[in-house]
Amino acid sequence: MLEIITLIKMSQRMGEIAREKGRQPAWFIVMLLGFWFAGEVMGAVSGVVIGMVLLGQKEPNMFVIWLPSVLGALLGAFCAFQIAKHLAPAGPSQ
């Protein structure tokens, strides 16, 4: 539930950034969601690897999977926001 609320708030902020740049907010929100879920999956996979290889567990503890997945999701969102913030405003080409 907390993840859904976080994504809604982040999507609203991403839309504001896109509008300030004179761009369509839908594409930026899709990018945010894609980066979030891709980071979450990659983090979960790395958590399984950490649990199995480094900790020697046959079945990794859920915390060992959960923590890297949340960190991966936040890293994905951070990257999406950095792309949006550093993108040049849309305007007439010269």
Side-chain angles (χ1 to χ4, degrees), residues 35 37-47 68-69 72:
F35 279 32
F37 288 114
E40 193 167 28
V41 168
M42 289 189 295
V45 169
S46 68
S69 70

Side-chain angles (χ1 to χ4, degrees), residues 10-46:
M10 291 174 96
S11 295
Q12 290 171 346
R13 180 64 187 130
M14 183 64 82
E16 291 171 7
I17 292 171
R19 284 185 203 92
E20 289 171 4
K21 301 278 186 173
R23 299 185 180 266
Q24 293 292 328
W27 294 110
F28 288 89
I29 294 170
V30 168
M31 177 181 65
L32 170 66
L33 296 175
F35 279 32
W36 177 278
F37 288 114
E40 193 167 28
V41 168
M42 289 189 295
V45 169
S46 68

Side-chain angles (χ1 to χ4, degrees), residues 43-70:
V45 169
S46 68
V48 169
V49 170
I50 289 168
M52 294 178 78
V53 175
L54 296 180
L55 301 178
Q57 301 171 341
K58 290 192 182 224
E59 291 185 27
N61 184 334
M62 286 305 293
F63 184 74
V64 175
I65 298 172
W66 175 79
L67 184 61
S69 70
V70 170

